[in-house]
Amino acid sequence: MGSYRFILSGGGTGGHIYPAIAIANELKRRHPDAEFLFVGAKDRMEMEKVPQAGYKIEGLWITGIQRKLTLKNLLFPIKLISSLMRANSIVSKFKPHVVIGTGGFASGPLLKMATVKGIPCVLQEQNSFAGITNKLLKDKVEKICVAYDGMEQFFPKDKIVKTGNPVRSDLVELKVTKSESLEYFDLSPKKKTLLVLGGSLGARRINQLVADHLAYFEELGLQVIWQCGKGYYETYKSNQSETIKVHAFLNSMDKAYVAADFIISRAGAGAVSELCLVGKPTFFIPSPVVAEDHQTKNALSLVGHNAAIMIRENDLDKQFKSAFEAVFNSPEKQAELSKNSKALALPNATADICDEIEKLLK
């Protein structure tokens, strides 16, 4: 038998891209001669991140539907037809054995055309509230790999497999030491460290919160690793100091997690899965502008197990300091949050997803 061919499609944000790359890496480890092709949306971050990971990618002219009437919405039917035609051409030419969709605009047209051609497809849904693309595809795919319980409200029960979300391989088994990690960020081993994560694109409200509380963190004796996002770096880079390290993007997440004693983060599905593995006391500040408020639902899945703290953006001014100090001043609470979050981790997610994909190769 010749080598297998896989198409992976997903993008728009790191939460869709990195799971796809993790799945491809594991499949490549199992099948070194396999061929891989990614399909993403033109002008989105996957067109940069996927080639950096060593894979070829094709772009579709597709965007999501805006919530208000805009010119982009008027173009959507044209973009959709164009993307379906392009997806049909890609699938016909590449002839994949299996197609994997991790969500995002481009995966809709790509998996739609793959299912029309009878090619087996697997969905990977990262969030506790399913995305619209995956919901539209649910009846035509063979398997749907999920990270949360209760997904029967969105998908056929017989297709659901709870695997968890793929995370970067270097996070499954953290090999760097605390001292190495602190040295990497030029920080002191004598101080506690706060890691701030706003997602791959940055988070305006979290950045404002951190900027307003730099003096407060200094009073507590904290040093800060602050990932502010590419679009916000120019605004906040002047805050760089001996104890405040400002980064547009963190390329060494393993070192960032090991260095951290406390974490402030958005509640994207990838971040939640990673933070369960890491097991550090975490304060989730969900984005209120994502579809179906799914980040709040992701965070609540941990809060319900006493595994994290959640503060809504609207409540930050009133609640942040008291919530932070309640954890900062209590080693017992810190240990409890760490223990409970680690108990929710699913470290074998990538392997389990690839097991389901391999079942379809027959």
Side-chain angles (χ1 to χ4, degrees), residues 1 15 26 37 52 98 114 122 161-162 173 213 232 239 256 308 325 332 346-347 355:
M1 180 181 288
E26 174 62 13
L37 178 64
Q52 285 177 358
V98 181
V122 175
V161 182
K162 186 181 178 184
E173 187 178 347
H213 287 79
Y232 297 96
N239 291 292
E325 287 176 20
E332 294 80 14
L346 294 167
D355 288 346

PDB file of all heavy atoms in Angstrom, residues 1 15 26 37 52 98 114 122 161-162 173 213 232 239 256 308 325 332 346-347 355:
ATOM      1  N   MET A   1       0.851  -1.196   0.000  1.00  0.00           N
ATOM      2  CA  MET A   1       0.000   0.000   0.000  1.00  0.00           C
ATOM      3  C   MET A   1       0.885   1.243   0.000  1.00  0.00           C
ATOM      4  O   MET A   1       1.913   1.281   0.676  1.00  0.00           O
ATOM      5  CB  MET A   1      -0.902  -0.002   1.238  1.00  0.00           C
ATOM      6  CG  MET A   1      -1.819   1.213   1.319  1.00  0.00           C
ATOM      7  SD  MET A   1      -2.860   1.182   2.812  1.00  0.00           S
ATOM      8  CE  MET A   1      -3.995  -0.123   2.360  1.00  0.00           C
ATOM      9  N   GLY A  15      -6.299  28.589  18.616  1.00  0.00           N
ATOM     10  CA  GLY A  15      -7.101  27.518  19.188  1.00  0.00           C
ATOM     11  C   GLY A  15      -7.535  26.483  18.180  1.00  0.00           C
ATOM     12  O   GLY A  15      -7.832  25.335  18.536  1.00  0.00           O
ATOM     13  N   GLU A  26       1.629  13.931  15.260  1.00  0.00           N
ATOM     14  CA  GLU A  26       1.495  12.564  15.774  1.00  0.00           C
ATOM     15  C   GLU A  26       1.262  11.576  14.629  1.00  0.00           C
ATOM     16  O   GLU A  26       1.830  10.475  14.630  1.00  0.00           O
ATOM     17  CB  GLU A  26       0.339  12.501  16.780  1.00  0.00           C
ATOM     18  CG  GLU A  26      -0.010  11.105  17.281  1.00  0.00           C
ATOM     19  CD  GLU A  26       1.109  10.411  18.051  1.00  0.00           C
ATOM     20  OE1 GLU A  26       2.098  11.082  18.431  1.00  0.00           O
ATOM     21  OE2 GLU A  26       1.009   9.181  18.263  1.00  0.00           O
ATOM     22  N   LEU A  37      -1.470  17.887   3.888  1.00  0.00           N
ATOM     23  CA  LEU A  37      -1.821  19.183   3.324  1.00  0.00           C
ATOM     24  C   LEU A  37      -2.777  19.877   4.277  1.00  0.00           C
ATOM     25  O   LEU A  37      -3.760  19.281   4.730  1.00  0.00           O
ATOM     26  CB  LEU A  37      -2.484  19.020   1.953  1.00  0.00           C
ATOM     27  CG  LEU A  37      -2.934  20.320   1.276  1.00  0.00           C
ATOM     28  CD1 LEU A  37      -1.746  21.211   0.945  1.00  0.00           C
ATOM     29  CD2 LEU A  37      -3.742  20.023   0.020  1.00  0.00           C
ATOM     30  N   GLN A  52       5.514  27.443   9.210  1.00  0.00           N
ATOM     31  CA  GLN A  52       6.546  27.473  10.247  1.00  0.00           C
ATOM     32  C   GLN A  52       6.682  26.103  10.913  1.00  0.00           C
ATOM     33  O   GLN A  52       7.756  25.743  11.388  1.00  0.00           O
ATOM     34  CB  GLN A  52       6.221  28.539  11.298  1.00  0.00           C
ATOM     35  CG  GLN A  52       6.483  29.961  10.839  1.00  0.00           C
ATOM     36  CD  GLN A  52       6.083  30.996  11.872  1.00  0.00           C
ATOM     37  OE1 GLN A  52       5.561  30.667  12.950  1.00  0.00           O
ATOM     38  NE2 GLN A  52       6.310  32.260  11.561  1.00  0.00           N
ATOM     39  N   VAL A  98      -8.124  10.436   4.681  1.00  0.00           N
ATOM     40  CA  VAL A  98      -8.963  10.971   5.754  1.00  0.00           C
ATOM     41  C   VAL A  98      -8.779  12.487   5.786  1.00  0.00           C
ATOM     42  O   VAL A  98      -7.690  13.001   5.525  1.00  0.00           O
ATOM     43  CB  VAL A  98      -8.570  10.384   7.138  1.00  0.00           C
ATOM     44  CG1 VAL A  98      -9.480  10.946   8.238  1.00  0.00           C
ATOM     45  CG2 VAL A  98      -8.651   8.865   7.137  1.00  0.00           C
ATOM     46  N   ALA A 114     -15.331  17.117   0.933  1.00  0.00           N
ATOM     47  CA  ALA A 114     -14.773  15.791   1.211  1.00  0.00           C
ATOM     48  C   ALA A 114     -15.885  14.783   1.482  1.00  0.00           C
ATOM     49  O   ALA A 114     -15.851  13.648   0.986  1.00  0.00           O
ATOM     50  CB  ALA A 114     -13.814  15.858   2.390  1.00  0.00           C
ATOM     51  N   VAL A 122     -13.117  13.400  10.185  1.00  0.00           N
ATOM     52  CA  VAL A 122     -13.155  13.475  11.644  1.00  0.00           C
ATOM     53  C   VAL A 122     -13.186  14.936  12.054  1.00  0.00           C
ATOM     54  O   VAL A 122     -12.412  15.755  11.533  1.00  0.00           O
ATOM     55  CB  VAL A 122     -11.905  12.791  12.262  1.00  0.00           C
ATOM     56  CG1 VAL A 122     -11.886  12.985  13.776  1.00  0.00           C
ATOM     57  CG2 VAL A 122     -11.871  11.316  11.917  1.00  0.00           C
ATOM     58  N   VAL A 161     -16.560  10.929  20.682  1.00  0.00           N
ATOM     59  CA  VAL A 161     -15.508  10.272  21.454  1.00  0.00           C
ATOM     60  C   VAL A 161     -14.840  11.359  22.306  1.00  0.00           C
ATOM     61  O   VAL A 161     -14.352  12.358  21.765  1.00  0.00           O
ATOM     62  CB  VAL A 161     -14.442   9.616  20.553  1.00  0.00           C
ATOM     63  CG1 VAL A 161     -13.400   8.900  21.415  1.00  0.00           C
ATOM     64  CG2 VAL A 161     -15.078   8.662  19.562  1.00  0.00           C
ATOM     65  N   LYS A 162     -14.844  11.188  23.614  1.00  0.00           N
ATOM     66  CA  LYS A 162     -14.189  12.175  24.479  1.00  0.00           C
ATOM     67  C   LYS A 162     -12.697  11.881  24.540  1.00  0.00           C
ATOM     68  O   LYS A 162     -12.267  10.881  25.106  1.00  0.00           O
ATOM     69  CB  LYS A 162     -14.790  12.164  25.889  1.00  0.00           C
ATOM     70  CG  LYS A 162     -14.220  13.294  26.759  1.00  0.00           C
ATOM     71  CD  LYS A 162     -14.782  13.290  28.161  1.00  0.00           C
ATOM     72  CE  LYS A 162     -14.145  14.404  29.010  1.00  0.00           C
ATOM     73  NZ  LYS A 162     -14.606  14.359  30.408  1.00  0.00           N
ATOM     74  N   GLU A 173       4.919  16.694  28.845  1.00  0.00           N
ATOM     75  CA  GLU A 173       5.934  16.330  29.830  1.00  0.00           C
ATOM     76  C   GLU A 173       6.946  17.475  29.897  1.00  0.00           C
ATOM     77  O   GLU A 173       7.874  17.552  29.086  1.00  0.00           O
ATOM     78  CB  GLU A 173       6.630  15.024  29.446  1.00  0.00           C
ATOM     79  CG  GLU A 173       7.570  14.502  30.509  1.00  0.00           C
ATOM     80  CD  GLU A 173       8.197  13.178  30.126  1.00  0.00           C
ATOM     81  OE1 GLU A 173       7.716  12.551  29.166  1.00  0.00           O
ATOM     82  OE2 GLU A 173       9.169  12.781  30.779  1.00  0.00           O
ATOM     83  N   HIS A 213      -2.440  47.646  37.045  1.00  0.00           N
ATOM     84  CA  HIS A 213      -2.084  46.999  38.307  1.00  0.00           C
ATOM     85  C   HIS A 213      -0.595  46.681  38.433  1.00  0.00           C
ATOM     86  O   HIS A 213      -0.207  45.910  39.311  1.00  0.00           O
ATOM     87  CB  HIS A 213      -2.899  45.698  38.477  1.00  0.00           C
ATOM     88  CG  HIS A 213      -4.336  45.930  38.810  1.00  0.00           C
ATOM     89  ND1 HIS A 213      -5.267  46.271  37.863  1.00  0.00           N
ATOM     90  CD2 HIS A 213      -5.008  45.889  40.003  1.00  0.00           C
ATOM     91  CE1 HIS A 213      -6.453  46.406  38.439  1.00  0.00           C
ATOM     92  NE2 HIS A 213      -6.318  46.191  39.731  1.00  0.00           N
ATOM     93  N   TYR A 232      -0.748  44.749  20.316  1.00  0.00           N
ATOM     94  CA  TYR A 232      -0.686  45.627  21.486  1.00  0.00           C
ATOM     95  C   TYR A 232       0.750  45.897  21.954  1.00  0.00           C
ATOM     96  O   TYR A 232       0.956  46.679  22.886  1.00  0.00           O
ATOM     97  CB  TYR A 232      -1.460  44.993  22.654  1.00  0.00           C
ATOM     98  CG  TYR A 232      -2.934  44.822  22.389  1.00  0.00           C
ATOM     99  CD1 TYR A 232      -3.444  43.594  21.932  1.00  0.00           C
ATOM    100  CD2 TYR A 232      -3.837  45.865  22.588  1.00  0.00           C
ATOM    101  CE1 TYR A 232      -4.794  43.431  21.691  1.00  0.00           C
ATOM    102  CE2 TYR A 232      -5.185  45.702  22.351  1.00  0.00           C
ATOM    103  CZ  TYR A 232      -5.658  44.481  21.892  1.00  0.00           C
ATOM    104  OH  TYR A 232      -6.995  44.316  21.658  1.00  0.00           O
ATOM    105  N   ASN A 239       6.599  49.434  29.255  1.00  0.00           N
ATOM    106  CA  ASN A 239       6.494  48.960  30.640  1.00  0.00           C
ATOM    107  C   ASN A 239       7.580  47.935  30.986  1.00  0.00           C
ATOM    108  O   ASN A 239       7.661  47.489  32.132  1.00  0.00           O
ATOM    109  CB  ASN A 239       5.115  48.331  30.879  1.00  0.00           C
ATOM    110  CG  ASN A 239       4.008  49.359  30.857  1.00  0.00           C
ATOM    111  OD1 ASN A 239       3.910  50.201  31.726  1.00  0.00           O
ATOM    112  ND2 ASN A 239       3.166  49.296  29.826  1.00  0.00           N
ATOM    113  N   ALA A 256       7.533  29.356  29.974  1.00  0.00           N
ATOM    114  CA  ALA A 256       6.620  30.327  30.583  1.00  0.00           C
ATOM    115  C   ALA A 256       5.769  29.664  31.660  1.00  0.00           C
ATOM    116  O   ALA A 256       5.595  30.205  32.763  1.00  0.00           O
ATOM    117  CB  ALA A 256       5.731  30.954  29.514  1.00  0.00           C
ATOM    118  N   ALA A 308     -10.196  26.362  39.209  1.00  0.00           N
ATOM    119  CA  ALA A 308      -9.767  27.664  38.691  1.00  0.00           C
ATOM    120  C   ALA A 308     -10.693  28.739  39.241  1.00  0.00           C
ATOM    121  O   ALA A 308     -11.772  28.445  39.765  1.00  0.00           O
ATOM    122  CB  ALA A 308      -9.787  27.685  37.162  1.00  0.00           C
ATOM    123  N   GLU A 325      -6.040  38.245  45.768  1.00  0.00           N
ATOM    124  CA  GLU A 325      -5.415  38.143  47.087  1.00  0.00           C
ATOM    125  C   GLU A 325      -5.892  36.898  47.847  1.00  0.00           C
ATOM    126  O   GLU A 325      -5.136  36.325  48.637  1.00  0.00           O
ATOM    127  CB  GLU A 325      -5.692  39.409  47.893  1.00  0.00           C
ATOM    128  CG  GLU A 325      -4.898  40.610  47.393  1.00  0.00           C
ATOM    129  CD  GLU A 325      -5.240  41.895  48.132  1.00  0.00           C
ATOM    130  OE1 GLU A 325      -5.790  41.819  49.246  1.00  0.00           O
ATOM    131  OE2 GLU A 325      -4.968  42.972  47.576  1.00  0.00           O
ATOM    132  N   GLU A 332      -2.828  27.035  50.840  1.00  0.00           N
ATOM    133  CA  GLU A 332      -3.782  25.929  50.796  1.00  0.00           C
ATOM    134  C   GLU A 332      -4.680  26.031  49.554  1.00  0.00           C
ATOM    135  O   GLU A 332      -4.942  25.029  48.881  1.00  0.00           O
ATOM    136  CB  GLU A 332      -4.645  25.918  52.055  1.00  0.00           C
ATOM    137  CG  GLU A 332      -3.892  25.618  53.344  1.00  0.00           C
ATOM    138  CD  GLU A 332      -3.141  26.832  53.894  1.00  0.00           C
ATOM    139  OE1 GLU A 332      -3.419  27.963  53.432  1.00  0.00           O
ATOM    140  OE2 GLU A 332      -2.280  26.646  54.774  1.00  0.00           O
ATOM    141  N   LEU A 346      -6.274  15.793  30.305  1.00  0.00           N
ATOM    142  CA  LEU A 346      -6.348  14.625  29.421  1.00  0.00           C
ATOM    143  C   LEU A 346      -5.085  14.626  28.556  1.00  0.00           C
ATOM    144  O   LEU A 346      -5.107  15.037  27.389  1.00  0.00           O
ATOM    145  CB  LEU A 346      -7.612  14.687  28.555  1.00  0.00           C
ATOM    146  CG  LEU A 346      -8.942  14.572  29.322  1.00  0.00           C
ATOM    147  CD1 LEU A 346     -10.117  14.963  28.445  1.00  0.00           C
ATOM    148  CD2 LEU A 346      -9.116  13.153  29.866  1.00  0.00           C
ATOM    149  N   PRO A 347      -3.983  14.160  29.111  1.00  0.00           N
ATOM    150  CA  PRO A 347      -2.691  14.303  28.433  1.00  0.00           C
ATOM    151  C   PRO A 347      -2.523  13.455  27.183  1.00  0.00           C
ATOM    152  O   PRO A 347      -1.623  13.704  26.380  1.00  0.00           O
ATOM    153  CB  PRO A 347      -1.684  13.878  29.516  1.00  0.00           C
ATOM    154  CG  PRO A 347      -2.456  12.993  30.434  1.00  0.00           C
ATOM    155  CD  PRO A 347      -3.846  13.542  30.441  1.00  0.00           C
ATOM    156  N   ASP A 355      -5.792   7.710  17.104  1.00  0.00           N
ATOM    157  CA  ASP A 355      -6.333   6.343  17.121  1.00  0.00           C
ATOM    158  C   ASP A 355      -7.650   6.289  16.354  1.00  0.00           C
ATOM    159  O   ASP A 355      -7.903   5.335  15.585  1.00  0.00           O
ATOM    160  CB  ASP A 355      -6.555   5.868  18.554  1.00  0.00           C
ATOM    161  CG  ASP A 355      -5.261   5.563  19.286  1.00  0.00           C
ATOM    162  OD1 ASP A 355      -4.203   5.453  18.632  1.00  0.00           O
ATOM    163  OD2 ASP A 355      -5.312   5.449  20.529  1.00  0.00           O
TER     164      ASP A 355
END
